Amino acid sequence: MSALSSESLVALGGIADHQRLRTSRITSVLANRLGSSALDYAVAHHLLEGAEHAARARDADRLAWYRRATVGDLTHLSASPHIVLNPRSAEMLRSEISETAYYLVGPDSSPASPEAHGLVRAATASATEHGFGNLLTQHAPVICLLNHRRLDETLHSWALTRLPGTVFTDYTAHPEVLARDLIHEAAHNWLNDALAAHDVRLPTDVTFFSPWRSTDRPVFGFLHACWAFALTVLYTREARHSATDAVAPFLDTHLRHQAVQFAAATEQVEQALSYVTSHEIRERIGRAVGKVVDPAGSEERPAAS
């Protein structure tokens, strides 16, 4: 799949306006002077969440920082257009409503190492080469690198709906592996923004079997898996051609595993997409999944109507 085709998959009207509107609303609450970029959008949610934490803790100084901070105050953390963080385990937070760990930018946030910045630059360059640069710029502007792993160790990554534009991920020394995982989590952030921007409300009482989790999942979760894993496959197929001997077998294993998963999920995709009221979103998910299961198929594979 060409880089141009990949770019068209994630080009969707309405998302930028949604991000600007959401940032503006947060700005009106906190009284910060934030801009309108995707990075401002991601940082705004860190500031809002941080301000709430500070208010609950009655920490007036910290609250004041969250109410006045802007992206310009975080340039020491930036490898433009991304903020790169490498938080320690002790700095990770957990919410009362979720056990999923997360980290918030704050007045005491320290820069990631030059090596981490270099790895992110190499990963985003690889993603850009294969058509996913805009996806990472718009939907993964804040990158939290967690635990350094070997290729034979399990890699964990995640994104949170209340911190859109932020990605949390373990990482290896290989840029292609980091790029794959950044694309996966950015895809989740993209779909959340796309559904919100196009006012799509999915039923919670309709489920489909997800081979990725070996359990039934609501339409929302099932389509998230289809979309995110489809983009990782499309990227990995291209990145595999120039991968080094060390990482190539890892990428091949990923492709083989995903082929099995998509074979088990494909028959349900059209029905699941029928619940998506936006033609533009249906078309993109349908086209991405179509290219995974039939690489030689038409670029204009029809989506469910």
Side-chain angles (χ1 to χ4, degrees):
M1 190 174 191
S2 68
L4 183 60
S5 299
S6 298
E7 289 171 358
S8 69
L9 277 176
V10 297
L12 180 65
I15 289 181
D17 289 340
H18 163 74
Q19 291 185 344
R20 283 191 291 267
L21 177 60
R22 178 66 179 166
T23 304
S24 175
R25 288 174 174 171
I26 293 174
T27 298
S28 68
V29 170
L30 297 180
N32 304 67
R33 297 182 63 184
L34 294 170
S36 59
S37 71
L39 181 56
D40 285 288
Y41 172 66
V43 167
H45 287 82
H46 280 257
L47 300 181
L48 182 64
E49 185 86 6
E52 181 179 353
H53 278 253
R56 291 181 182 276
R58 300 182 182 275
D59 188 333
D61 290 341
R62 200 170 184 85
L63 176 59
W65 186 90
Y66 279 111
R67 295 196 65 183
R68 69 171 183 269
T70 67
V71 168
D73 298 309
L74 305 175
T75 54
H76 63 297
L77 307 174
S78 178
S80 185
H82 300 276
I83 283 176
V84 182
L85 303 163
N86 197 189
R88 299 184 300 272
S89 296
E91 297 175 305
M92 300 294 283
L93 305 171
R94 282 175 172 79
S95 165
E96 295 178 356
I97 61 174
S98 173
E99 279 300 305
T100 304
Y102 63 102
Y103 175 79
L104 294 175
V105 172
D108 45 5
S109 293
S110 56
S113 68
E115 292 77 14
H117 280 285
L119 179 64
V120 168
R121 283 194 295 270
T124 54
S126 178
T128 299
E129 178 183 356
H130 301 300
F132 293 98
N134 286 335
L135 175 70
L136 297 192
T137 298
Q138 298 300 314
H139 299 282
V142 177
I143 297 170
C144 291
L145 299 180
L146 301 176
N147 303 297
H148 189 279
R149 304 291 193 191
R150 301 188 310 267
L151 281 175
D152 61 348
E153 294 182 300
T154 300
L155 297 169
H156 297 286
S157 66
W158 61 90
L160 300 174
T161 55
R162 68 179 178 279
L163 291 178
T166 296
V167 168
F168 300 88
T169 184
D170 292 341
Y171 62 103
T172 72
H174 304 282
E176 298 91 347
V177 178
L178 178 57
R180 181 203 65 168
D181 294 339
L182 293 177
I183 288 168
H184 181 96
E185 300 305 336
H188 286 307
N189 287 334
W190 181 96
L191 186 52
N192 286 333
D193 279 352
L195 294 173
H198 287 252
D199 196 27
V200 175
R201 304 175 189 277
L202 299 173
T204 58
D205 58 344
V206 178
T207 62
F208 295 90
F209 180 76
S210 172
W212 292 279
R213 293 206 180 173
S214 298
T215 189
D216 290 336
R217 299 195 70 195
V219 180
F220 178 84
F222 176 77
L223 289 178
H224 257 283
C226 290
W227 170 246
F229 281 110
L231 294 194
T232 68
V233 168
L234 297 178
Y235 164 77
T236 302
R237 279 181 184 162
E238 299 303 316
R240 168 64 182 83
H241 298 314
S242 57
T244 64
D245 290 343
V247 75
F250 178 91
L251 298 179
D252 287 340
T253 298
H254 177 70
L255 291 175
R256 288 194 299 269
H257 180 68
Q258 290 306 315
V260 173
Q261 306 293 64
F262 274 100
T266 300
E267 290 186 2
Q268 306 175 88
V269 173
E270 185 171 352
Q271 184 180 353
L273 284 174
S274 69
Y275 293 97
V276 179
T277 52
S278 164
H279 169 76
E280 293 88 349
I281 298 174
R282 286 200 312 274
E283 188 272 336
R284 282 158 178 77
I285 297 175
R287 183 150 52 101
V289 173
K291 292 303 296 183
V292 168
V293 299
D294 181 16
S298 169
E299 283 292 311
E300 302 301 325
R301 184 183 182 92
S305 59

